Amino acid sequence: MDKIENSEYEYLSQTLDALKSIVGELSEKTENSISEITEFNKYLWENIDAMDIEERILGITSNEQYADITNSSLRKIRSLKKSLNSPYFGRITFVPNDEKITKNNDIYIGINTIMDDKGFYVFDWRTPIATLFYNGKFGPVSYKAPKGIVEGKLTGKRQYKIVNGKLKRVVDTELHLDDDALQEALRRATSDKMRDIVTTIQKEQNEIIRNTRSHSLIVQGGAGSGKTSVALHRLAYLLYQDKKANSNNMLIFSPNDVFSKYISGVLPELGEENVLQTTISDFASSYIKGYDHLETFTEFISRYYDGNNITDEQKELYKFKFSKEYKEALDEYIKRINQEFYFKDYVKAKGQSFDNGYMTKMLRNLGNMQISDKIDELAKSICEYLKVPYKSNRDLIRKSLKKQLEPKLNFKNLYNGFLSSEEFVSRFGKTDKIKGTSTLEYPDILGMLYLQFELYGYPKNDIIRHIVIDEVQDYSPLQIEMLRKIFSGATFTILGDVNQTINPYFKYNSLEELVPILGKDSEYYELNKSYRSSPEITEYTNSLIGSENEAARTSGDIPVLVKEVPKESLYTELVSDILTMKENGLSRIAIVTRSNNEARAIYEGLKDDVTELSIVSDEGETYTTDTLVVPATISKGLEFDAVISYNNQDNPYKEDDKYLYYVACTRAQHELVVYNEPKDIKKKVLRKEDSND
């Protein structure tokens, strides 16, 4: 609308007044609570010697509960204060059946619910009725509320731009969220933290975010399709919808620590605390001991891309360790070894000795159950025989049983036994062996974990309620199966893109292959629209892998520039291009390399000529500036205003590396410059002359 109605200014003023009053009252109550907690702690400290143990426990417990409530209030205050900048971003006019249109039919949508004793001013974007803002078309509509299905008519939809409490723009729209508002959001400069997308959530994204009918969701999304943002908004929605959910029972598996830091700002922007995050290597370190270092996925694949003299035989070995044949060999070995455990000597318990031959026979009669369960069953039998309580004697008897058990439950030795077993050799053709205790290679981490869990039982985690696994295309089916068994009670939201697979030894044909692992109560989605890159960049990157991703952004009018840059002029060209990009208003600029070694070399060569230059690598550096060098292997999920995709003529991207090259180029939002375009990757390149046809 060209002219903003006075009533809109009045409503914003009323909402802000109400919000300020709510914040003021809540702040006063919270300050009083903090004072009371402080006074009680002082009283407890001064009188603790005079209290009996029950009084102490009761006082401390009550104070901790009071502190939790106060901390929750502080988080609410911080969230509401953010809403003072922009209390709402949308409005729908919804008329329930058999009602007339009144002002009460105007429903305003924002980050937070805003209400006082006079009623609702703003509804949280996660409320059931707010889904009409994202999905609803004019005419008959319905939404699912706690009391049941509510039917009616949607007669209006409006979007707002409010900055620093000032109304800047009001736009009426009908079928979908206004394209101008979306385009404005997409044109914004990137930042070092991912932003929320709550004001521009699209219909297909909203369906994933609000899906609670399926236990597990699998999302295949092209580069820039917003799949990670969707996952984070889904967590925010589940925090709102699931009353038992909190930040300590939700878990994100991230590809690396750089990615974890990049996404750390989204949930706080949405008024929620950040949830737990880990990587698969950190997770594994809780269960595998005895090694100086567990190799991370990034370190593992960097050895390949850095050209660390990996032999053809090693490549075949790594491919095998990610194959279904490897898992089949492990399963057969586990089944066999499970029937070969025996007791080498008498088992002593509570002063009694039990014949090792008889105990071995009992052990093997227990069939194929896990060895830990067999030991439990034997311990129960011994307790029954001795007529002693199982619960209080279990640990001591189990210890005696394991002491005499052969082979010992040493999972390094058992895994080494597998690598030289007939099951392994019959499929791979030769033996393998783990050498030393310095570094355990990434593929062997997965095998050793599986062996340990299958023999000794999966650790059951009943705390985590919701799990997100990002970049799942780099997880093997074996990994997903283990996580599914460990977190059997949790919902799973797993996201990835088979076209961004950077593991040179394994690739899914489709993420739908994970449906059987996650179970029949799972749902598969595809997101094929890119909200990151310009049409010019999207067309170029589509041509690399034959994909058909659609660019949501309107033209950036900057063609992809392909340059031949010899070594002797590399740094001169880089400095010139970076300066030109900055002069053109592009803030965040990345030089994306094929390998970590190349990133280090370029950084060292540029750091004296480019001010505030950072490097991101698997060696621990994190970026603190807007101009940086980053290897493609850890750039996934990140985005930049402009990217220089560097190809080393001595160590170029090959045809087998096209997915890594695709990752490198799809980091760019506005401008992409390619140095020494890979000759082995077949494609039609969008050059400047093409854009003028």
Side-chain angles (χ1 to χ4, degrees), residues 7 14 22 32 34 135 205 244 274 276 293 295 344 348 397 403 407 439 454-455 462 529 533 540 542 567 576 666:
S7 60
Q14 293 170 10
I22 293 166
N32 292 336
I34 292 172
N135 291 5
Q205 297 172 331
K244 294 182 180 180
N274 269 319
L276 304 174
H293 177 63
E295 186 178 45
K344 67 176 181 178
K348 295 183 179 180
I397 294 175
K403 182 178 180 181
T439 296
E454 286 291 317
L455 275 176
D462 298 323
K529 186 176 288 187
S533 301
Y540 178 85
N542 279 345
K567 287 182 180 179
S576 175
T666 52

Side-chain angles (χ1 to χ4, degrees), residues 320-332:
F320 174 70
K321 288 182 178 179
F322 283 101
S323 70
K324 66 178 182 179
E325 288 79 12
Y326 172 75
K327 179 183 179 298
E328 290 170 355
L330 264 170
D331 286 335
E332 290 183 10

Side-chain angles (χ1 to χ4, degrees), residues 417-606:
F418 164 67
L419 295 177
S420 60
S421 70
E422 59 188 66
E423 291 86 359
F424 186 89
V425 174
S426 67
R427 284 173 170 81
F428 182 62
K430 58 181 68 178
T431 63
D432 185 30
K433 186 177 182 179
I434 296 175
K435 304 172 183 68
T437 59
S438 177
T439 296
L440 182 62
E441 292 186 348
Y442 183 79
D444 293 314
I445 293 172
L446 309 183
M448 194 176 292
L449 278 177
Y450 185 70
L451 176 70
Q452 179 175 337
F453 294 154
E454 286 291 317
L455 275 176
Y456 208 61
Y458 283 83
K460 296 298 182 182
N461 186 302
D462 298 323
I463 298 173
I464 299 299
R465 294 181 64 81
H466 304 289
I467 286 180
V468 166
I469 303 177
D470 210 344
E471 305 294 350
V472 75
Q473 74 277 358
D474 294 324
Y475 286 64
S476 70
L478 185 65
Q479 287 171 271
I480 302 301
E481 183 175 325
M482 286 191 285
L483 293 175
R484 194 75 193 90
K485 289 180 178 178
I486 293 170
F487 301 100
S488 57
T491 72
F492 277 70
T493 303
I494 65 177
L495 313 100
D497 179 12
V498 292
N499 290 323
Q500 293 185 69
T501 300
I502 61 175
N503 185 342
Y505 310 107
F506 172 78
K507 185 179 184 297
Y508 292 98
N509 292 316
S510 167
L511 294 184
E512 282 189 279
E513 295 171 36
L514 295 172
V515 171
I517 297 174
L518 293 171
K520 61 182 180 180
D521 189 18
S522 58
E523 202 162 345
Y524 176 77
Y525 290 90
E526 287 189 4
L527 299 174
N528 297 314
K529 186 176 288 187
S530 173
Y531 297 93
R532 177 187 298 142
S533 301
S534 68
E536 292 83 358
I537 296 172
T538 301
E539 182 175 345
Y540 178 85
T541 54
N542 279 345
S543 71
L544 301 175
I545 54 172
S547 63
E548 297 180 353
N549 292 325
E550 177 188 351
R553 287 187 53 205
T554 54
S555 178
D557 293 326
I558 303 177
V560 174
L561 179 60
V562 177
K563 302 169 66 172
E564 291 298 319
V565 181
K567 287 182 180 179
E568 55 269 21
S569 60
L570 171 62
Y571 295 109
T572 303
E573 290 283 344
L574 285 170
V575 171
S576 175
D577 281 334
I578 290 170
L579 289 176
T580 300
M581 289 170 175
K582 289 184 176 181
E583 288 170 0
N584 291 335
L586 300 172
S587 300
R588 298 192 72 234
I589 301 166
I591 303 165
V592 184
T593 65
R594 180 178 179 272
S595 71
N596 195 62
N597 288 343
E598 290 167 4
R600 171 63 59 188
I602 286 180
Y603 173 74
E604 293 296 331
L606 278 182

Side-chain angles (χ1 to χ4, degrees), residues 89-90 111 125 133-134 159-160 169 176-186 188 195-206 209 225 229-230 233 529 531 552:
F89 51 79
I111 295 289
W125 67 277
F133 175 72
Y134 298 109
Q159 289 180 273
Y160 300 87
R169 186 179 67 213
H176 52 76
L177 297 188
D178 178 62
D179 192 56
D180 288 341
L182 176 62
Q183 292 302 323
E184 180 179 334
L186 298 179
R188 287 187 305 182
R195 297 187 178 99
D196 73 79
I197 60 168
V198 68
T199 63
T200 57
I201 292 170
Q202 302 297 292
K203 182 177 180 180
E204 67 274 14
Q205 297 172 331
N206 190 52
I209 289 169
S225 60
S229 292
V230 166
H233 286 69
K529 186 176 288 187
Y531 297 93

Side-chain angles (χ1 to χ4, degrees), residues 220-483:
Q220 157 66 41
S225 60
K227 54 187 178 293
T228 302
S229 292
V230 166
L232 294 170
H233 286 69
R234 175 168 170 76
L235 287 180
Y237 177 76
L238 292 171
L239 282 165
Y240 178 87
Q241 187 269 343
D242 181 357
K243 301 308 177 186
K244 294 182 180 180
N246 59 62
S247 61
N248 292 318
N249 59 25
M250 292 181 159
L251 177 63
I252 299 174
F253 279 90
S254 295
N256 52 59
D257 292 336
V258 173
F259 184 84
S260 296
K261 292 174 183 176
Y262 179 65
I263 66 173
S264 64
V266 174
L267 285 170
E269 282 186 12
L270 296 172
E272 302 290 352
E273 287 187 282
N274 269 319
V275 302
L276 304 174
Q277 292 194 53
T278 189
T279 63
I280 197 70
S281 295
D282 287 342
F283 179 76
S285 67
S286 300
Y287 303 101
I288 295 179
K289 306 297 181 182
Y291 291 89
D292 297 337
H293 177 63
L294 300 185
E295 186 178 45
T296 67
F297 175 72
T298 301
E299 290 169 339
F300 170 62
I301 60 170
S302 291
R303 287 195 283 123
Y304 173 87
Y305 292 113
D306 281 341
N308 287 357
N309 297 319
I310 298 177
T311 65
D312 290 340
E313 183 178 322
Q314 284 178 302
K315 291 176 184 178
E316 290 305 312
L317 176 63
Y318 292 146
K319 286 180 180 179
F320 174 70
K321 288 182 178 179
F322 283 101
S323 70
K324 66 178 182 179
E325 288 79 12
Y326 172 75
K327 179 183 179 298
E328 290 170 355
L330 264 170
D331 286 335
E332 290 183 10
Y333 174 76
I334 290 166
K335 184 177 180 180
R336 175 169 64 83
I337 198 71
N338 201 12
Q339 289 297 317
E340 294 179 357
F341 284 108
Y342 68 94
F343 292 101
K344 67 176 181 178
D345 206 343
Y346 285 88
V347 175
K348 295 183 179 180
K350 306 291 287 184
Q352 292 253 137
S353 294
F354 295 86
D355 179 72
N356 57 310
Y358 177 73
M359 296 300 295
T360 297
K361 183 178 179 180
M362 287 185 65
L363 181 77
R364 292 180 177 172
N365 284 342
L366 290 171
N368 290 324
M369 68 170 60
Q370 293 166 334
I371 188 65
S372 59
D373 292 336
K374 290 183 179 183
I375 291 173
D376 280 341
E377 290 298 317
L378 291 182
K380 287 177 185 177
S381 297
I382 290 174
C383 287
E384 289 174 3
Y385 177 82
L386 296 174
K387 294 182 172 55
V388 297
Y390 171 69
K391 190 173 182 180
S392 57
N393 290 277
R394 175 186 59 194
D395 292 344
L396 185 62
I397 294 175
R398 279 172 55 91
K399 185 177 180 180
S400 296
L401 288 166
K402 286 194 288 185
K403 182 178 180 181
Q404 299 302 331
L405 192 67
E406 289 290 340
K408 297 294 185 185
L409 287 175
N410 180 308
F411 295 104
K412 179 184 175 183
N413 291 340
L414 288 172
Y415 183 70
N416 256 329
F418 164 67
L419 295 177
S420 60
S421 70
E422 59 188 66
E423 291 86 359
F424 186 89
V425 174
S426 67
R427 284 173 170 81
F428 182 62
K430 58 181 68 178
T431 63
D432 185 30
K433 186 177 182 179
I434 296 175
K435 304 172 183 68
T437 59
S438 177
T439 296
L440 182 62
E441 292 186 348
Y442 183 79
D444 293 314
I445 293 172
L446 309 183
M448 194 176 292
L449 278 177
Y450 185 70
L451 176 70
Q452 179 175 337
F453 294 154
E454 286 291 317
L455 275 176
Y456 208 61
Y458 283 83
K460 296 298 182 182
N461 186 302
D462 298 323
I463 298 173
I464 299 299
R465 294 181 64 81
H466 304 289
I467 286 180
V468 166
I469 303 177
D470 210 344
E471 305 294 350
V472 75
Q473 74 277 358
D474 294 324
Y475 286 64
S476 70
L478 185 65
Q479 287 171 271
I480 302 301
E481 183 175 325
M482 286 191 285
L483 293 175

